Coordinates of all heavy atoms in Angstrom, one line a residue:
T137 N 1.9 10.5 -7.4 CA 0.6 10.9 -7.1 C 0.1 10.0 -5.9 O 0.4 8.8 -5.8 CB -0.4 10.6 -8.2 OG1 0.1 11.3 -9.4 CG2 -1.8 10.9 -7.9
Y138 N -0.5 10.6 -4.9 CA -1.0 9.9 -3.8 C -2.5 10.1 -3.8 O -3.1 11.2 -4.0 CB -0.4 10.5 -2.5 CG -0.6 9.7 -1.3 CD1 0.3 8.7 -0.9 CD2 -1.8 9.9 -0.4 CE1 0.1 7.9 0.2 CE2 -1.9 9.1 0.7 CZ -1.0 8.1 1.0 OH -1.2 7.4 2.1
M139 N -3.3 9.0 -3.6 CA -4.7 9.1 -3.6 C -5.3 8.4 -2.4 O -4.8 7.3 -2.0 CB -5.2 8.3 -4.9 CG -6.7 8.2 -5.0 SD -7.3 7.2 -6.3 CE -7.2 8.4 -7.6
T140 N -6.2 9.1 -1.7 CA -7.0 8.4 -0.7 C -8.2 7.7 -1.3 O -8.8 8.3 -2.2 CB -7.5 9.5 0.3 OG1 -6.3 10.2 0.9 CG2 -8.3 8.9 1.5
A141 N -8.4 6.5 -0.9 CA -9.4 5.7 -1.6 C -10.3 4.9 -0.7 O -9.9 4.7 0.5 CB -8.7 4.8 -2.6
V142 N -11.4 4.5 -1.3 CA -12.3 3.6 -0.6 C -12.8 2.6 -1.6 O -13.0 3.0 -2.8 CB -13.4 4.3 0.1 CG1 -14.3 5.1 -0.8 CG2 -14.3 3.4 1.0
E143 N -13.0 1.4 -1.3 CA -13.5 0.4 -2.2 C -15.0 0.7 -2.5 O -15.8 0.9 -1.6 CB -13.4 -1.0 -1.7 CG -13.8 -2.1 -2.6 CD -13.6 -3.5 -2.1 OE1 -13.2 -3.7 -1.0 OE2 -13.8 -4.4 -2.9
V144 N -15.3 0.7 -3.8 CA -16.7 0.8 -4.2 C -17.1 -0.2 -5.2 O -16.2 -0.8 -5.9 CB -17.0 2.2 -4.8 CG1 -16.9 3.3 -3.7 CG2 -16.2 2.5 -6.0
K145 N -18.3 -0.5 -5.4 CA -18.8 -1.4 -6.4 C -18.5 -0.8 -7.8 O -18.6 0.4 -8.0 CB -20.2 -1.8 -6.3 CG -20.5 -2.5 -5.0 CD -22.0 -2.9 -4.9 CE -22.2 -3.6 -3.6 NZ -23.6 -4.0 -3.4
P146 N -18.2 -1.7 -8.8 CA -17.9 -1.1 -10.1 C -18.9 -0.2 -10.7 O -18.6 0.7 -11.4 CB -17.7 -2.4 -11.0 CG -17.4 -3.5 -10.0 CD -18.1 -3.1 -8.7
D147 N -20.2 -0.5 -10.4 CA -21.3 0.3 -11.0 C -21.8 1.4 -10.0 O -22.8 2.1 -10.3 CB -22.5 -0.6 -11.4 CG -23.0 -1.4 -10.2 OD1 -22.4 -1.4 -9.1 OD2 -24.1 -2.0 -10.3
A148 N -21.1 1.7 -9.0 CA -21.5 2.7 -8.0 C -21.3 4.1 -8.6 O -20.4 4.4 -9.3 CB -20.7 2.6 -6.7
A149 N -22.3 5.0 -8.3 CA -22.2 6.4 -8.8 C -21.3 7.1 -7.8 O -21.2 6.9 -6.6 CB -23.6 7.0 -8.7
L150 N -20.4 7.9 -8.4 CA -19.4 8.7 -7.7 C -19.9 10.1 -7.5 O -20.4 10.7 -8.5 CB -18.1 8.6 -8.3 CG -17.4 7.2 -8.5 CD1 -16.0 7.4 -9.1 CD2 -17.3 6.5 -7.1
P151 N -19.6 10.7 -6.4 CA -19.9 12.2 -6.3 C -19.0 13.0 -7.2 O -17.9 12.5 -7.6 CB -19.5 12.5 -4.8 CG -19.5 11.2 -4.1 CD -19.2 10.1 -5.1
T152 N -19.5 14.1 -7.6 CA -18.8 15.0 -8.5 C -17.4 15.3 -7.9 O -17.2 15.5 -6.7 CB -19.5 16.3 -8.7 OG1 -20.8 16.0 -9.2 CG2 -18.8 17.3 -9.6
G153 N -16.4 15.2 -8.8 CA -15.0 15.5 -8.4 C -14.2 14.3 -8.0 O -13.0 14.4 -7.9
L154 N -14.9 13.1 -7.8 CA -14.1 11.9 -7.4 C -13.9 11.1 -8.7 O -14.7 11.2 -9.7 CB -14.9 11.1 -6.4 CG -15.1 11.7 -5.0 CD1 -15.7 10.7 -4.1 CD2 -13.8 12.2 -4.5
Q155 N -12.9 10.3 -8.7 CA -12.6 9.4 -9.8 C -12.3 8.0 -9.4 O -12.0 7.7 -8.3 CB -11.4 10.0 -10.6 CG -10.2 10.1 -9.8 CD -9.1 10.8 -10.6 OE1 -8.9 10.4 -11.8 NE2 -8.3 11.7 -10.0
R156 N -12.4 7.1 -10.3 CA -12.1 5.7 -10.1 C -10.7 5.4 -10.4 O -10.1 6.0 -11.3 CB -13.0 4.8 -11.1 CG -14.2 4.4 -10.5 CD -15.0 3.6 -11.5 NE -16.4 4.0 -11.5 CZ -17.2 3.7 -10.5 NH1 -16.8 2.9 -9.5 NH2 -18.5 4.1 -10.4
L157 N -10.1 4.4 -9.7 CA -8.8 3.9 -10.0 C -9.0 2.3 -9.9 O -8.8 1.7 -8.9 CB -7.8 4.3 -9.0 CG -6.4 3.7 -9.2 CD1 -5.8 4.1 -10.5 CD2 -5.5 4.1 -8.0
P158 N -9.3 1.7 -11.1 CA -9.5 0.3 -11.1 C -8.1 -0.4 -10.8 O -7.1 0.0 -11.3 CB -9.9 0.0 -12.5 CG -10.3 1.3 -13.1 CD -9.6 2.3 -12.4
L159 N -8.1 -1.4 -10.0 CA -6.9 -2.2 -9.6 C -7.1 -3.6 -10.2 O -7.9 -4.3 -9.7 CB -6.7 -2.2 -8.1 CG -6.4 -0.9 -7.4 CD1 -6.4 -1.1 -5.9 CD2 -5.2 -0.3 -8.0
P160 N -6.4 -3.9 -11.3 CA -6.5 -5.2 -11.8 C -5.9 -6.3 -10.9 O -5.0 -5.9 -10.0 CB -5.6 -5.1 -13.1 CG -4.7 -4.0 -12.9 CD -5.4 -3.0 -11.9
P161 N -6.3 -7.5 -11.0 CA -5.7 -8.5 -10.1 C -4.2 -8.6 -10.3 O -3.7 -8.4 -11.4 CB -6.4 -9.8 -10.6 CG -7.6 -9.4 -11.3 CD -7.3 -8.0 -11.8
S162 N -3.5 -8.7 -9.2 CA -2.1 -8.7 -9.3 C -1.5 -9.5 -8.1 O -2.3 -9.9 -7.2 CB -1.6 -7.3 -9.2 OG -0.2 -7.2 -9.4
R163 N -0.3 -9.8 -8.2 CA 0.5 -10.5 -7.1 C 1.1 -9.4 -6.2 O 1.7 -8.5 -6.7 CB 1.5 -11.4 -7.7 CG 2.3 -12.2 -6.7 CD 3.2 -13.1 -7.5 NE 4.2 -13.6 -6.6 CZ 5.5 -13.8 -6.9 NH1 5.9 -13.6 -8.1 NH2 6.4 -14.2 -6.0
Y164 N 0.9 -9.5 -4.9 CA 1.4 -8.5 -4.0 C 2.3 -9.1 -2.9 O 2.0 -10.2 -2.4 CB 0.3 -7.7 -3.3 CG -0.5 -6.8 -4.2 CD1 -1.6 -7.2 -5.0 CD2 -0.1 -5.4 -4.3 CE1 -2.2 -6.3 -5.8 CE2 -0.7 -4.6 -5.2 CZ -1.8 -5.0 -5.9 OH -2.5 -4.2 -6.7
A165 N 3.3 -8.4 -2.4 CA 3.9 -8.7 -1.2 C 3.3 -7.8 -0.1 O 3.2 -6.6 -0.3 CB 5.4 -8.4 -1.3
V166 N 2.8 -8.3 1.0 CA 2.0 -7.6 2.0 C 2.8 -7.5 3.3 O 3.2 -8.6 3.8 CB 0.6 -8.2 2.2 CG1 -0.1 -7.3 3.2 CG2 -0.1 -8.3 0.9
F167 N 3.0 -6.3 3.8 CA 3.7 -6.1 5.0 C 2.9 -5.4 6.0 O 2.2 -4.4 5.6 CB 5.0 -5.3 4.8 CG 5.9 -6.0 3.8 CD1 5.8 -5.7 2.4 CD2 6.9 -6.8 4.3 CE1 6.7 -6.4 1.6 CE2 7.8 -7.5 3.4 CZ 7.7 -7.2 2.0
T168 N 2.9 -5.8 7.3 CA 2.2 -5.0 8.3 C 3.3 -4.3 9.1 O 4.2 -4.9 9.6 CB 1.4 -5.9 9.3 OG1 0.4 -6.6 8.5 CG2 0.7 -5.1 10.3
I169 N 3.2 -3.0 9.1 CA 4.2 -2.2 9.8 C 3.5 -1.5 11.0 O 2.5 -0.9 10.9 CB 4.7 -1.1 8.9 CG1 5.4 -1.8 7.7 CG2 5.7 -0.2 9.6 CD1 5.8 -0.9 6.5
A170 N 4.0 -1.8 12.2 CA 3.4 -1.3 13.4 C 4.4 -0.3 14.1 O 5.6 -0.4 14.0 CB 3.2 -2.5 14.4
G171 N 3.8 0.7 14.7 CA 4.7 1.7 15.3 C 4.4 3.1 14.8 O 3.4 3.3 14.1
D172 N 5.3 4.0 15.1 CA 5.1 5.3 14.7 C 5.2 5.4 13.1 O 5.9 4.8 12.5 CB 6.3 6.1 15.2 CG 6.2 7.6 15.1 OD1 5.8 8.1 14.0 OD2 6.5 8.3 16.0
V173 N 4.3 6.2 12.6 CA 4.2 6.4 11.1 C 5.5 6.8 10.5 O 5.7 6.6 9.3 CB 3.0 7.3 10.7 CG1 3.3 8.7 11.0 CG2 2.6 7.0 9.3
T174 N 6.3 7.4 11.2 CA 7.6 7.9 10.7 C 8.5 6.7 10.3 O 9.5 6.9 9.6 CB 8.3 8.9 11.6 OG1 8.6 8.2 12.9 CG2 7.5 10.1 11.9
T175 N 8.2 5.5 10.8 CA 9.0 4.4 10.5 C 8.7 3.8 9.1 O 9.4 3.0 8.5 CB 8.9 3.2 11.5 OG1 7.5 2.7 11.5 CG2 9.3 3.7 12.9
L176 N 7.6 4.3 8.5 CA 7.1 3.8 7.2 C 8.1 4.0 6.1 O 8.5 3.0 5.4 CB 5.8 4.4 6.9 CG 5.0 3.8 5.7 CD1 4.8 2.3 5.9 CD2 3.7 4.5 5.6
P177 N 8.6 5.2 5.9 CA 9.6 5.4 4.7 C 10.8 4.6 4.8 O 11.2 3.9 3.9 CB 9.8 6.9 4.8 CG 8.6 7.5 5.4 CD 8.2 6.5 6.4
P178 N 11.5 4.6 6.0 CA 12.8 3.8 6.0 C 12.5 2.3 5.9 O 13.3 1.5 5.4 CB 13.4 4.1 7.4 CG 12.4 4.8 8.2 CD 11.4 5.3 7.2
T179 N 11.3 1.8 6.4 CA 11.0 0.4 6.3 C 10.8 0.0 4.9 O 11.2 -1.0 4.4 CB 9.8 0.1 7.2 OG1 10.1 0.4 8.5 CG2 9.4 -1.4 7.1
L180 N 10.0 0.9 4.2 CA 9.7 0.6 2.7 C 11.0 0.6 1.9 O 11.2 -0.2 1.0 CB 8.7 1.6 2.2 CG 7.3 1.4 2.7 CD1 6.4 2.6 2.2 CD2 6.7 0.1 2.3
E181 N 11.9 1.5 2.3 CA 13.2 1.6 1.5 C 14.0 0.3 1.7 O 14.5 -0.2 0.8 CB 14.0 2.8 2.0 CG 15.3 3.0 1.3 CD 16.1 4.2 1.6 OE1 15.6 5.0 2.4 OE2 17.2 4.4 1.1
K182 N 14.0 -0.2 2.9 CA 14.7 -1.4 3.2 C 14.1 -2.6 2.5 O 14.8 -3.5 1.9 CB 14.8 -1.7 4.7 CG 15.7 -2.9 5.1 CD 15.9 -2.9 6.5 CE 17.0 -4.0 6.8 NZ 17.4 -4.0 8.2
I183 N 12.8 -2.6 2.4 CA 12.1 -3.7 1.7 C 12.4 -3.7 0.2 O 12.7 -4.7 -0.4 CB 10.5 -3.6 1.9 CG1 10.2 -3.9 3.4 CG2 9.8 -4.4 0.9 CD1 8.7 -3.6 3.7
C184 N 12.4 -2.5 -0.4 CA 12.6 -2.3 -1.8 C 14.0 -2.5 -2.2 O 14.3 -3.0 -3.3 CB 12.0 -1.0 -2.3 SG 10.2 -0.9 -2.2
K185 N 14.9 -2.0 -1.4 CA 16.4 -2.0 -1.8 C 17.1 -3.3 -1.3 O 18.2 -3.6 -1.8 CB 17.0 -0.8 -1.3 CG 16.6 0.5 -2.0 CD 17.4 1.7 -1.6 CE 17.0 2.9 -2.5 NZ 17.7 4.1 -2.1
Q186 N 16.6 -3.9 -0.3 CA 17.3 -5.1 0.3 C 16.5 -6.4 0.2 O 16.9 -7.3 -0.4 CB 17.7 -4.8 1.7 CG 18.5 -6.0 2.3 CD 18.9 -5.7 3.8 OE1 18.8 -4.6 4.2 NE2 19.4 -6.7 4.5
W187 N 15.3 -6.4 0.8 CA 14.5 -7.6 0.9 C 14.1 -8.1 -0.5 O 14.3 -9.3 -0.8 CB 13.3 -7.4 1.7 CG 12.5 -8.7 1.9 CD1 12.7 -9.7 2.7 CD2 11.3 -9.0 1.1 NE1 11.7 -10.7 2.6 CE2 10.8 -10.3 1.6 CE3 10.6 -8.4 0.1 CZ2 9.7 -10.9 1.0 CZ3 9.5 -9.0 -0.5 CH2 9.1 -10.3 0.0
M188 N 13.5 -7.2 -1.3 CA 13.1 -7.7 -2.7 C 14.2 -8.2 -3.5 O 14.1 -9.3 -4.1 CB 12.3 -6.6 -3.4 CG 11.0 -6.3 -2.7 SD 10.0 -5.0 -3.5 CE 9.0 -6.1 -4.6
P189 N 15.3 -7.5 -3.7 CA 16.4 -8.0 -4.5 C 17.0 -9.3 -3.9 O 17.3 -10.3 -4.7 CB 17.5 -6.9 -4.4 CG 16.7 -5.7 -4.2 CD 15.6 -6.1 -3.3
D190 N 17.0 -9.4 -2.6 CA 17.5 -10.7 -2.0 C 16.6 -11.9 -2.3 O 17.1 -13.0 -2.4 CB 17.6 -10.5 -0.5 CG 18.8 -9.7 0.0 OD1 19.6 -9.3 -0.9 OD2 18.9 -9.4 1.2
C191 N 15.3 -11.6 -2.5 CA 14.3 -12.6 -2.8 C 14.2 -12.8 -4.3 O 13.4 -13.7 -4.7 CB 13.0 -12.3 -2.2 SG 13.0 -12.3 -0.4
G192 N 14.9 -12.0 -5.1 CA 14.7 -12.1 -6.6 C 13.4 -11.5 -7.1 O 12.9 -11.9 -8.1
L193 N 12.8 -10.6 -6.3 CA 11.5 -10.0 -6.7 C 11.7 -8.6 -7.2 O 12.7 -7.9 -6.9 CB 10.6 -10.0 -5.5 CG 10.2 -11.3 -4.8 CD1 9.5 -11.1 -3.5 CD2 9.4 -12.2 -5.8
K194 N 10.8 -8.2 -8.1 CA 10.8 -6.9 -8.6 C 9.4 -6.2 -8.5 O 8.4 -6.9 -8.7 CB 11.2 -6.9 -10.1 CG 12.7 -7.3 -10.3 CD 13.0 -7.2 -11.8 CE 14.5 -7.7 -11.9 NZ 14.9 -7.6 -13.3
L195 N 9.4 -4.9 -8.3 CA 8.1 -4.2 -8.3 C 7.5 -4.1 -9.7 O 8.2 -3.9 -10.6 CB 8.3 -2.8 -7.8 CG 8.5 -2.6 -6.3 CD1 8.9 -1.1 -6.0 CD2 7.3 -2.9 -5.5
A196 N 6.2 -4.3 -9.7 CA 5.4 -4.1 -10.9 C 5.1 -2.7 -11.1 O 5.0 -1.9 -10.1 CB 4.2 -5.0 -10.9
H197 N 4.8 -2.2 -12.3 CA 4.4 -0.9 -12.5 C 2.9 -0.8 -12.2 O 2.0 -1.0 -13.1 CB 4.7 -0.4 -13.9 CG 4.4 1.0 -14.2 ND1 5.1 2.0 -13.6 CD2 3.4 1.6 -14.9 CE1 4.6 3.2 -14.0 NE2 3.5 2.9 -14.8
A198 N 2.5 -0.6 -11.0 CA 1.1 -0.6 -10.5 C 1.1 0.1 -9.2 O 2.1 0.3 -8.6 CB 0.6 -2.0 -10.4
P199 N -0.1 0.6 -8.8 CA -0.2 1.3 -7.5 C 0.2 0.5 -6.3 O 0.0 -0.7 -6.3 CB -1.7 1.7 -7.4 CG -2.2 1.6 -8.8 CD -1.4 0.5 -9.5
W200 N 0.9 1.1 -5.4 CA 1.1 0.6 -4.0 C -0.2 0.9 -3.2 O -0.8 1.9 -3.4 CB 2.3 1.2 -3.3 CG 3.6 1.1 -3.9 CD1 3.9 0.8 -5.2 CD2 4.8 1.3 -3.3 NE1 5.2 0.7 -5.4 CE2 5.9 1.1 -4.2 CE3 5.2 1.6 -2.0 CZ2 7.2 1.1 -3.9 CZ3 6.5 1.7 -1.7 CH2 7.5 1.5 -2.6
I201 N -0.5 0.0 -2.3 CA -1.6 0.2 -1.5 C -1.2 0.3 0.0 O -0.4 -0.6 0.4 CB -2.7 -0.9 -1.7 CG1 -3.1 -1.0 -3.1 CG2 -3.9 -0.8 -0.7 CD1 -3.9 -2.3 -3.5
E202 N -1.7 1.3 0.7 CA -1.5 1.4 2.1 C -2.9 1.2 2.8 O -3.8 1.9 2.4 CB -0.9 2.7 2.5 CG 0.5 3.0 2.0 CD 1.0 4.4 2.3 OE1 0.3 5.1 3.1 OE2 2.0 4.8 1.7
R203 N -3.0 0.3 3.7 CA -4.3 0.1 4.4 C -4.1 0.3 5.8 O -3.3 -0.4 6.5 CB -4.8 -1.3 4.1 CG -6.1 -1.6 4.6 CD -6.6 -3.0 4.1 NE -7.9 -3.3 4.6 CZ -8.2 -4.1 5.6 NH1 -7.2 -4.8 6.2 NH2 -9.4 -4.3 6.0
Y204 N -4.7 1.3 6.4 CA -4.6 1.7 7.8 C -5.6 1.0 8.6 O -6.8 0.9 8.2 CB -4.7 3.2 7.9 CG -3.5 4.0 7.2 CD1 -3.5 4.2 5.9 CD2 -2.4 4.4 8.0 CE1 -2.4 4.8 5.3 CE2 -1.4 5.0 7.4 CZ -1.4 5.2 6.0 OH -0.3 5.8 5.4
A205 N -5.2 0.6 9.8 CA -6.1 -0.1 10.7 C -7.2 0.9 11.2 O -7.0 2.1 11.2 CB -5.4 -0.6 12.0
E206 N -8.4 0.4 11.5 CA -9.5 1.2 11.9 C -9.2 2.2 13.0 O -9.7 3.3 13.1 CB -10.7 0.4 12.2 CG -11.4 -0.3 11.1 CD -12.7 -1.0 11.4 OE1 -13.3 -0.6 12.4 OE2 -13.0 -1.9 10.7
D207 N -8.4 1.7 14.0 CA -8.1 2.6 15.1 C -6.8 3.4 14.9 O -6.3 4.1 15.8 CB -7.9 1.7 16.4 CG -6.7 0.7 16.2 OD1 -6.2 0.5 15.1 OD2 -6.4 0.1 17.3
F208 N -6.3 3.5 13.7 CA -5.1 4.2 13.4 C -5.3 5.7 13.6 O -6.3 6.3 13.1 CB -4.6 3.9 12.0 CG -3.3 4.7 11.7 CD1 -2.1 4.2 12.0 CD2 -3.4 5.9 11.1 CE1 -0.9 4.9 11.7 CE2 -2.2 6.6 10.8 CZ -1.0 6.1 11.1
T209 N -4.4 6.4 14.3 CA -4.3 7.8 14.3 C -2.8 8.1 14.3 O -2.0 7.3 14.6 CB -4.9 8.5 15.5 OG1 -4.2 8.1 16.7 CG2 -6.4 8.1 15.7
M210 N -2.4 9.3 13.9 CA -1.0 9.7 13.8 C -0.4 9.6 15.2 O 0.8 9.4 15.3 CB -0.9 11.1 13.3 CG -1.3 11.3 11.8 SD -0.3 10.3 10.7 CE 1.1 11.3 10.5
E211 N -1.2 9.8 16.3 CA -0.7 9.7 17.6 C -0.7 8.3 18.2 O 0.0 8.0 19.2 CB -1.5 10.6 18.5 CG -1.5 12.1 18.2 CD -2.4 12.4 17.0 OE1 -3.4 11.7 16.8 OE2 -2.1 13.4 16.4
S212 N -1.4 7.4 17.6 CA -1.6 6.1 18.2 C -0.6 5.0 18.0 O -0.5 4.0 18.6 CB -3.0 5.5 17.8 OG -2.9 5.0 16.5
K213 N 0.3 5.4 17.0 CA 1.3 4.4 16.6 C 0.6 3.1 16.2 O 1.0 2.0 16.6 CB 2.3 4.2 17.7 CG 3.1 5.4 18.1 CD 4.1 5.2 19.1 CE 4.8 6.5 19.4 NZ 5.9 6.4 20.3
G214 N -0.4 3.2 15.3 CA -1.1 2.0 14.9 C -0.4 1.2 13.8 O 0.7 1.4 13.5
K215 N -1.2 0.3 13.2 CA -0.7 -0.6 12.2 C -1.1 -0.1 10.8 O -2.2 0.4 10.6 CB -1.2 -2.0 12.4 CG -0.6 -2.6 13.6 CD -1.2 -4.1 13.8 CE -0.7 -4.7 15.0 NZ -1.2 -6.0 15.3
V216 N -0.1 -0.3 9.9 CA -0.4 0.0 8.4 C 0.0 -1.2 7.6 O 1.1 -1.8 7.8 CB 0.5 1.2 8.0 CG1 0.2 1.5 6.5 CG2 0.2 2.4 8.8
E217 N -0.9 -1.7 6.8 CA -0.6 -2.7 5.8 C -0.1 -2.1 4.5 O -0.8 -1.1 4.1 CB -1.8 -3.6 5.5 CG -2.0 -4.8 6.2 CD -3.2 -5.6 5.7 OE1 -3.8 -5.4 4.7 OE2 -3.5 -6.5 6.5
V218 N 1.0 -2.5 4.0 CA 1.5 -2.0 2.7 C 1.5 -3.1 1.7 O 2.1 -4.2 2.0 CB 2.9 -1.4 2.9 CG1 3.4 -0.9 1.6 CG2 2.9 -0.3 3.9
W219 N 0.9 -2.9 0.6 CA 0.8 -3.9 -0.5 C 1.6 -3.4 -1.6 O 1.3 -2.4 -2.2 CB -0.7 -4.1 -0.9 CG -1.6 -4.6 0.1 CD1 -1.8 -4.2 1.4 CD2 -2.5 -5.7 -0.1 NE1 -2.7 -5.0 2.0 CE2 -3.2 -5.9 1.1 CE3 -2.9 -6.5 -1.2 CZ2 -4.2 -6.9 1.3 CZ3 -3.8 -7.4 -1.0 CH2 -4.5 -7.6 0.2
L220 N 2.7 -4.2 -1.9 CA 3.6 -3.8 -3.0 C 3.4 -4.8 -4.2 O 3.5 -6.0 -4.0 CB 5.0 -3.9 -2.5 CG 5.4 -3.0 -1.3 CD1 6.8 -3.2 -0.9 CD2 5.2 -1.6 -1.6
P221 N 3.0 -4.2 -5.4 CA 2.8 -5.1 -6.5 C 4.0 -5.7 -7.0 O 5.1 -5.0 -7.1 CB 2.1 -4.1 -7.5 CG 2.7 -2.8 -7.2 CD 2.9 -2.8 -5.7
L222 N 4.0 -7.0 -7.4 CA 5.1 -7.7 -7.9 C 5.0 -8.1 -9.3 O 3.9 -8.4 -9.8 CB 5.3 -9.0 -7.0 CG 5.5 -8.8 -5.5 CD1 5.5 -10.2 -4.9 CD2 6.7 -8.0 -5.2
E223 N 6.1 -8.0 -10.0 CA 6.1 -8.6 -11.4 C 5.8 -10.0 -11.4 O 6.2 -10.7 -10.4 CB 7.5 -8.3 -12.0 CG 7.8 -6.9 -12.5 CD 9.0 -6.8 -13.2 OE1 9.8 -7.7 -13.4 OE2 9.3 -5.7 -13.7
A224 N 5.1 -10.5 -12.4 CA 4.7 -11.9 -12.4 C 5.9 -12.8 -12.6 O 7.0 -12.5 -12.9 CB 3.8 -12.1 -13.6

């Protein structure tokens, strides 16, 4: 499942059809990926299959977060922050 999200206050009223996805505090590995958005999948694959095992880290069963820079467009080759949840 892929969800587009925005941070809201816990007691904020949501428009009809929208839903909350609470994110509990967690430990994350954060990566900034710059360049063409098509580099995202192979970069994440290398992080998960090579970097994490080499560091002795494992993904937690929690949502991944992608945070796009304000000036990001598909054409701009902007920056994307990827937050990968880690097991404690």
